Amino acid sequence: MPVIKILPHPEYCPAGTEITAPAGTSICEALLDNHINIEHACDMSCACTTCHVIVRQGLNSLNAAEEEEEDLLDRAWGLEPQSRLSCQAILAQTDLIVEIPKYTINHAKENH
């Protein structure tokens, strides 16, 4: 199983951590399954950008972003060339390093 190293985030993962998840799982599902409660306002349907992450290592191992995801990413706060919507980024067998941006475009957070 690939290892996902999550860099420190003041709210979701203050000390940073490492988790494992089976290949074929989305980054968002892996985070949520490991009690890292990343925002996902559209319930992982590729309709918002609240689950935006920056893949610092291992980006090329993920499935290719589709046009719908790329269009949405244009609205994400802190967009970088390594940005993905975590609900659309599917794990392969390669380890990743992931950063959760400090902010999202959401004005209010919901508890899922």
Side-chain angles (χ1 to χ4, degrees):
M1 276 197 276
V3 173
I4 306 170
K5 179 179 180 178
I6 297 94
L7 298 177
H9 182 281
E11 182 178 348
Y12 300 120
C13 192
T17 194
E18 290 187 2
I19 61 174
T20 59
T25 303
S26 74
I27 293 174
C28 189
E29 292 169 318
L31 293 171
L32 295 171
D33 288 348
N34 285 277
H35 311 290
I36 300 169
N37 297 319
I38 188 170
E39 284 188 67
H40 55 289
C42 72
D43 217 15
M44 297 184 276
S45 65
C46 193
C48 72
T49 64
T50 59
C51 71
H52 167 228
V53 296
I54 302 164
V55 182
R56 296 291 180 203
Q57 183 178 311
L59 178 67
N60 292 333
S61 70
L62 301 172
N63 61 311
E66 300 207 3
E67 187 175 343
E68 183 179 17
E69 177 184 357
E70 290 177 348
D71 289 345
L72 280 170
L73 278 169
D74 288 339
R75 295 189 256 155
W77 183 91
L79 181 67
E80 293 191 17
Q82 306 92 337
S83 290
R84 289 295 304 266
L85 296 182
S86 66
C87 69
Q88 300 301 302
I90 306 299
L91 299 171
Q93 294 294 338
T94 304
D95 295 347
L96 303 176
I97 297 176
V98 173
E99 180 180 349
I100 302 170
K102 187 173 181 180
Y103 301 107
T104 72
I105 62 169
N106 250 8
H107 295 288
K109 292 183 181 182
E110 300 175 19
N111 293 328
H112 288 276

